[in-house]
Amino acid sequence: MLYDFVHIFSISTFIMILYPKDIKEKLEYSKIIDTICSECLSGMAVDYFRKIEILTDPQHISQLINETDEYKKALQRGESLPISSFESVTEDVQLVRKEGYVLEIDSIKNIYRIVSIGMELVQYFSDAEKVKMNPLLSGIVSGIVIDKALTKEIDRVLDEEGEVRPNASEELLRISKLIKSREREIEKIFNSEVEVYKSKGYLVDTYESIRNGRRVLTVAAEHKRKIHGIIHDESATGKTIYIEPEKVMHFNQEIYNLYAERRHEIYKIIRALCAFIRPYADGILTIQHILVKLDTIRAKARFAYRINAGKPYLDTKPVFCFKMAYNPVLLLKNENTGAPVIPFDLELHGSNRILVLSGPNAGGKSVALKSVGLLQMMLQSGMLIPVDENSHFGTFDKIFVDIGDQQSLEDDLSTYSSHLKNMKFVTENADKNSLVLIDEFGSGTDPKIGGAIAEAVLNDMNHRKVFATITTHYSNLKYYAYKTKGVINGSMEFDKLHLKPTFRMQVGKPGSSFAYEIAEKIGLDARIVKYAQHKTGKNEKAIDDLLINLMSEKKEYEDKLSSLLEKQDRLDRLIQSYEHMNTDLDIKRKKIKLQAKEQSAIKVMDQNNEMQKILKEIKQSKDEEKALQASIALKKKQEETLKELESLKMEVFAKEITASKDKIEVGSFVRMRNGSSNGEVLSIQKGVAEVQMGFLKLKVPVIELVSAKEPIEMKTKSINLPKSGNELPETKIDIREYTKSDALNMLQNFMDKALMNNTYELKIIHGIGTGVMKNEVKNYCANTRMSKKSGIPNLNKVVKG
């Protein structure tokens, strides 16, 4: 595993091409990065954002966006993940890998902090509810594996303040106790000396001080020879002398030596602790890697929460469908003032890929242009963006920008030359996966020549299928957008009544510069304005107005056409829905009729016993002719009822098959209408399907099958057929004296065994009684249709009373 920070985050397979090199500054992307960096808890996360890549892999972008969105939702719920500031331990861990190397205590404290935060996160996500609410974040944290022995050992050695505990070893405990004992003795002696010399008036007002790490008396200069001891210092004025009393000198020296021993013992303890940490080096770096990833997600989520950013739909191909899009830099700027930020919609339908944006100066064209590029770069960096979540964003492999004055004395480039240099790069490198943003297209030179060159470049970009947004005042570019497929006009709305911009974008309609109106409003001399109008001529203004009116009418007709197509689509869906409902209703009617016929058939069958009694009585009266006619009539009635019932069933089943979306064909999975087992259709010939159900192959009319889901797992099981006479299956079952439910369950198992053993004839003993059980057995046999399809031809004949 690579732990160097450069490799902490997976790098996209494709490299984004950005032009020019200061594109992030031109689109004010750097301001967004600065704001996000202020939310980071570690310097490593800051480094990540300073070197952040613009990605081109939609899957990677989606992963980063989803992680950020999940963290943002946790913030909205009031959740607070237990992650706090931490320092990088990469270098410390590399050093501790070396045998015998001893880290500074501060370095061990940093390691301990990272491990502690990791443990808190693992504990946090031990709650199943939190895992359910944050599946992506909990998945990241699941990579943290901590041996509690590590934290236990660090806890044993260091206290909460990061200091070595006095009882970290027996020797250190002994030394610590001696130091405290000697310090108490010194305290007692020193205080006694202070009282003695204070009473004699040798000391100044403060009585004592600290010099060179020793407690000293503050003695008046004229009394310094009256006190025995060592002079450590004197005041700047020379009036105060700092003397260590002779009586405490021995104890101070002993304490000094004890502190030296203590430092040596602490070094031994830290060295042993480093040796204990060494095997955990890889695990510590893994935890740090995960914490940095969570730190970057947290920073992006907090920024998104601050500007109310959301997650739009991400398409794999380039697309423009911005809804309620805000410029995030303006949101941050107006955060404290409360000034409103106007959102914009940018949705290009059909084959349109290039927007030619026009309108008055200071109307918001450049801001809208920058917003398009800024939001796209933010999204492809894995950030949430301030747009409606129904927006659709594509992914681009290249982004080209030409904004502002790029005059260069160093490269001997004029303003227009710099623009041409940018256009040269665009025309040589842009393709269908490129986003091009150009501000004041064609400006900086003679308007006619500049407009012509701009139109030629625009035409080239259109042929290359480039996606672009450009701003301009040139009428020839507006006219080109009007007549050319793939290019569409747009404008920044202007309030003609109050002569001020509204900062709202309108796609499909070119805008006017309103230069004369604005000039009059700011008070420019009317004579000057009139002269300018005369020089431009009426035709120029008339053409501009005509173009605007034509685009308005075109937009109106396009909107109407779109509305009609939408209504037609809705109507088609309604008709289809109606036809489907009508078919369903017809099937339900026929099923009700079928149920009624089935009940009628059952009644006819139930009347059979009664008719047998009547026939017996007729026979006893020796009126055989009458008995024969009655018997024929009864049989005919039964046959007609059954025939009518079968016909109705076929009609209903045929209707269901026709209406079903799932057609039965070879390879389809099906089940019989009166069964529950699934099987696969092997072949279909003349309306009869061969179906593999487990180890059995059955031939069933297609009309008696319904579509079923594919089994999750189909296994072929071997069947152990009987090999000896003792193992032959039962061919007789007695269900007398059982309840109906138990009897039918026994009967089903009995029939299954008979099928598996290819039994030719079966006997079922059901008793006589009221005839209820007899009818149930007959109905069961009739409904399962076993007599013809199962290989038990004598089943219905051998039902015994």
Side-chain angles (χ1 to χ4, degrees):
M1 184 179 290
L2 297 173
Y3 294 102
D4 186 88
F5 179 75
V6 175
H7 299 95
I8 281 180
F9 299 93
S10 57
I11 298 175
S12 177
T13 308
F14 306 102
I15 300 173
M16 164 70 82
I17 296 176
L18 299 173
Y19 181 86
K21 60 184 179 181
D22 60 346
I23 184 173
K24 293 182 179 180
E25 286 70 32
K26 287 185 177 297
L27 295 178
E28 300 184 283
Y29 178 82
S30 299
K31 292 182 179 180
I32 301 299
I33 295 298
D34 289 342
T35 305
I36 294 177
C37 285
S38 68
E39 299 285 357
C40 293
L41 296 170
S42 66
M44 290 173 287
V46 172
D47 290 342
Y48 165 77
F49 285 115
R50 294 297 180 202
K51 301 171 185 177
I52 193 168
E53 290 184 340
I54 314 299
L55 307 172
T56 58
D57 179 13
Q59 188 175 357
H60 192 183
I61 296 168
S62 293
Q63 177 190 342
L64 297 178
I65 291 172
N66 290 335
E67 290 167 350
T68 306
D69 187 55
E70 187 172 284
Y71 204 120
K72 190 196 86 167
K73 288 176 179 175
L75 293 175
Q76 290 172 331
R77 292 192 300 268
E79 289 187 42
S80 179
L81 270 68
I83 181 172
S84 50
S85 60
F86 58 94
E87 299 292 332
S88 172
V89 297
T90 304
E91 291 184 10
D92 297 325
V93 171
Q94 298 299 350
L95 290 172
V96 85
R97 289 180 191 274
K98 300 176 182 178
E99 194 69 34
Y101 192 89
V102 180
L103 294 173
E104 296 292 333
I105 289 182
D106 284 344
S107 297
I108 296 176
K109 285 163 66 176
N110 290 337
I111 290 174
Y112 179 71
R113 180 159 185 78
I114 281 178
V115 175
S116 297
I117 295 172
M119 287 186 67
E120 289 176 15
L121 285 166
V122 171
Q123 178 63 32
Y124 182 83
F125 283 111
S126 63
D127 184 344
E129 188 62 27
K130 290 199 168 50
V131 172
K132 182 179 177 182
M133 297 298 290
N134 307 284
L136 298 178
L137 299 178
S138 63
I140 294 170
V141 172
S142 67
I144 297 177
V145 180
I146 300 174
D147 188 342
K148 292 183 179 178
L150 175 61
T151 54
K152 187 177 180 181
E153 180 62 16
I154 297 176
D155 265 336
R156 188 188 68 78
V157 174
L158 302 180
D159 61 17
E160 292 77 8
E161 303 298 324
E163 301 296 332
V164 177
R165 296 182 187 275
N167 60 348
S169 72
E170 291 184 5
E171 180 63 15
L172 184 62
L173 182 61
R174 183 189 68 79
I175 294 170
S176 299
K177 286 181 178 179
L178 278 175
I179 289 172
K180 286 185 178 180
S181 174
R182 295 297 181 267
E183 285 179 343
R184 283 196 297 269
E185 291 179 28
I186 289 175
E187 178 76 16
K188 185 177 178 181
I189 295 170
F190 192 87
N191 288 341
S192 175
E193 290 291 279
V194 168
E195 291 299 324
V196 170
Y197 294 122
K198 183 173 69 172
S199 64
K200 293 181 178 181
Y202 296 167
L203 307 180
V204 297
D205 294 340
T206 55
Y207 302 142
E208 64 176 280
S209 184
I210 299 292
R211 287 294 185 274
N212 301 324
R214 305 286 182 96
R215 285 179 73 182
V216 293
L217 299 171
T218 53
V219 182
E222 61 269 22
H223 301 300
K224 67 180 180 179
R225 299 189 183 281
K226 297 176 183 177
I227 299 177
H228 296 287
I230 296 176
I231 297 174
H232 280 272
D233 198 4
E234 66 177 34
S235 66
T237 61
K239 293 181 179 181
T240 302
I241 308 298
Y242 301 99
I243 300 174
E244 180 184 2
E246 187 177 33
K247 289 184 178 181
V248 299
M249 287 171 57
H250 169 71
F251 291 104
N252 276 337
Q253 187 60 42
E254 187 178 355
I255 287 175
Y256 178 82
N257 293 336
L258 286 171
Y259 271 107
E261 289 181 40
R262 183 177 182 273
R263 285 192 296 274
H264 180 68
E265 182 61 22
I266 287 174
Y267 178 83
K268 287 170 59 180
I269 293 169
I270 296 300
R271 185 174 62 186
L273 181 59
C274 289
F276 189 88
I277 291 172
R278 192 165 294 118
Y280 297 99
D282 288 344
I284 292 167
L285 289 178
T286 299
I287 297 170
Q288 177 179 266
H289 161 75
I290 290 171
L291 294 189
V292 173
K293 183 170 180 62
L294 285 175
D295 189 8
T296 59
I297 295 171
R298 173 187 175 276
K300 291 188 294 181
R302 286 175 63 86
F303 174 71
Y305 183 72
R306 180 177 170 184
I307 64 169
N308 195 29
K311 180 181 74 171
Y313 291 100
L314 182 64
D315 293 347
T316 56
K317 58 184 181 180
V319 66
F320 274 157
C321 184
F322 298 18
K323 295 182 180 180
M324 294 293 288
Y326 291 85
N327 184 296
V329 175
L330 283 181
L331 289 174
L332 293 173
K333 180 182 177 183
N334 296 351
E335 194 174 36
N336 296 325
T337 63
V341 178
I342 309 299
F344 69 92
D345 293 348
L346 174 52
E347 189 170 359
L348 302 187
H349 297 285
S351 60
N352 291 325
R353 290 168 285 97
I354 300 176
L355 176 68
V356 176
L357 192 59
S358 52
N361 288 317
K365 297 191 303 297
S366 297
V367 172
L369 181 80
K370 286 184 177 181
S371 299
V372 171
L374 178 57
L375 293 173
Q376 191 67 49
M377 286 180 65
M378 286 175 63
L379 187 76
Q380 290 192 227
S381 302
M383 302 178 194
L384 301 178
I385 52 178
V387 298
D388 185 279
E389 294 195 348
N390 290 315
S391 300
H392 284 258
F393 276 69
T395 51
F396 295 94
D397 296 339
K398 305 171 186 178
I399 300 180
F400 305 95
V401 167
D402 182 21
I403 297 175
D405 185 358
Q406 299 178 52
Q407 182 176 337
S408 172
L409 296 176
E410 183 180 341
D411 297 331
D412 194 25
L413 289 175
S414 67
T415 298
Y416 188 65
S417 297
S418 68
H419 287 314
L420 286 179
K421 181 182 176 184
N422 291 339
M423 292 307 99
K424 177 178 180 292
F425 189 88
V426 169
T427 54
E428 289 175 351
N429 295 279
D431 56 27
K432 64 180 181 179
N433 294 316
S434 301
L435 172 61
V436 178
L437 305 171
I438 305 173
D439 194 25
E440 299 296 344
F441 198 21
S443 63
T445 189
D446 181 274
K448 288 187 177 181
I449 298 173
I453 293 176
E455 184 176 329
V457 173
L458 181 60
N459 184 61
D460 182 76
M461 288 196 298
N462 189 37
H463 285 163
R464 290 172 177 268
K465 309 296 184 185
V466 169
F467 282 76
T469 300
I470 68 170
T471 67
T472 187
H473 290 285
Y474 291 165
S475 296
N476 67 307
L477 298 183
K478 300 177 195 177
Y479 181 69
Y480 178 86
Y482 168 71
K483 68 184 179 72
T484 307
K485 187 178 181 180
V487 187
I488 189 169
N489 275 299
S491 63
M492 301 307 294
E493 194 178 72
F494 190 77
D495 185 350
K496 295 180 181 179
L497 182 63
H498 300 96
L499 292 179
K500 65 178 183 180
T502 64
F503 304 108
R504 299 187 184 280
M505 183 188 291
Q506 291 183 322
V507 176
K509 178 182 176 182
S512 170
S513 64
F514 294 99
Y516 298 135
E517 291 84 351
I518 294 172
E520 289 175 349
K521 183 187 177 185
I522 64 173
L524 191 63
D525 193 303
R527 292 180 299 104
I528 297 174
V529 175
K530 188 174 181 181
Y531 181 84
Q533 288 174 328
H534 175 72
K535 291 298 292 180
T536 55
K538 293 181 180 179
N539 290 338
E540 186 76 23
K541 184 73 166 59
I543 291 172
D544 208 28
D545 290 342
L546 178 62
L547 184 59
I548 291 172
N549 291 333
L550 283 173
M551 286 301 297
S552 296
E553 291 176 6
K554 182 182 177 183
K555 180 70 166 56
E556 183 181 351
Y557 290 137
E558 286 177 347
D559 289 344
K560 286 181 179 178
L561 178 60
S562 176
S563 177
L564 285 172
L565 290 174
E566 184 180 347
K567 288 177 180 177
Q568 181 64 45
D569 183 53
R570 286 180 61 194
L571 181 60
D572 290 343
R573 290 200 301 269
L574 284 171
I575 291 172
Q576 188 178 3
S577 176
Y578 168 77
E579 288 175 348
H580 182 70
M581 289 171 65
N582 191 45
T583 303
D584 283 349
L585 186 60
D586 191 33
I587 291 172
K588 286 178 182 178
R589 284 200 203 100
K590 291 184 183 300
K591 279 188 174 181
I592 292 170
K593 188 176 178 181
L594 176 62
Q595 288 172 358
K597 283 294 180 183
E598 286 176 340
Q599 291 297 323
S600 176
I602 291 169
K603 287 180 181 179
V604 169
M605 295 302 179
D606 287 342
Q607 290 170 359
N608 186 50
N609 290 335
E610 192 65 31
M611 289 301 298
Q612 291 293 339
K613 290 179 182 179
I614 295 171
L615 288 172
K616 190 175 181 181
E617 290 174 1
I618 294 173
K619 283 181 180 180
Q620 287 174 353
S621 65
K622 297 184 179 181
D623 193 348
E624 292 184 4
E625 182 66 25
K626 186 177 181 181
L628 180 61
Q629 289 178 358
S631 177
I632 292 171
L634 176 62
K635 189 175 181 181
K636 185 178 180 183
K637 184 177 181 182
Q638 287 178 341
E639 287 176 351
E640 288 175 354
T641 303
L642 290 173
K643 188 176 180 181
E644 189 177 352
L645 181 63
E646 192 67 22
S647 173
L648 193 55
K649 277 186 180 180
M650 293 302 104
E651 188 179 351
V652 171
F653 294 163
K655 197 81 172 177
E656 282 185 334
I657 290 172
T658 305
S660 175
K661 294 180 181 178
D662 300 320
K663 302 300 179 185
I664 295 174
E665 54 192 19
V666 175
S668 299
F669 287 91
V670 295
R671 64 174 175 82
M672 294 176 66
R673 291 183 181 276
N674 56 355
S676 58
S677 298
N678 291 1
E680 184 179 0
V681 176
L682 302 179
S683 64
I684 300 176
Q685 290 183 355
K686 297 181 179 180
V688 177
E690 184 179 18
V691 182
Q692 180 79 48
M693 287 193 176
F695 63 90
L696 295 176
K697 287 184 181 178
L698 305 177
K699 289 193 175 181
V700 188
V702 174
I703 205 165
E704 293 185 11
L705 298 174
V706 292
S707 295
K709 292 182 180 178
E710 180 179 357
I712 294 173
E713 184 177 9
M714 294 188 69
K715 295 182 179 178
T716 303
K717 296 185 178 180
S718 60
I719 302 297
N720 296 321
L721 295 175
K723 297 178 182 178
S724 65
N726 295 332
E727 296 176 348
L728 285 173
E730 292 288 334
T731 59
K732 181 174 72 175
I733 185 172
D734 188 349
I735 57 175
R736 291 176 295 181
E737 298 181 359
Y738 285 91
T739 64
K740 182 173 73 174
S741 175
D742 290 341
L744 290 178
N745 285 334
M746 290 172 63
L747 184 59
Q748 184 174 353
N749 292 332
F750 175 68
M751 300 286 276
D752 289 344
K753 289 178 182 177
L755 275 171
M756 288 190 290
N757 290 280
N758 297 321
T759 304
Y760 182 76
E761 182 175 293
L762 298 176
K763 292 181 181 180
I764 303 169
I765 302 173
H766 52 67
I768 300 175
T770 60
V772 173
M773 188 62 75
K774 178 181 177 181
N775 289 334
E776 288 294 336
V777 171
K778 282 190 174 183
N779 288 337
Y780 177 85
C781 294
N783 288 336
T784 53
R785 301 178 182 271
M786 299 298 259
S787 60
K788 293 181 181 179
K789 300 178 179 64
S790 66
I792 311 177
N794 294 328
L795 175 63
N796 290 337
K797 297 179 182 178
V798 296
V799 176
K800 299 293 184 178

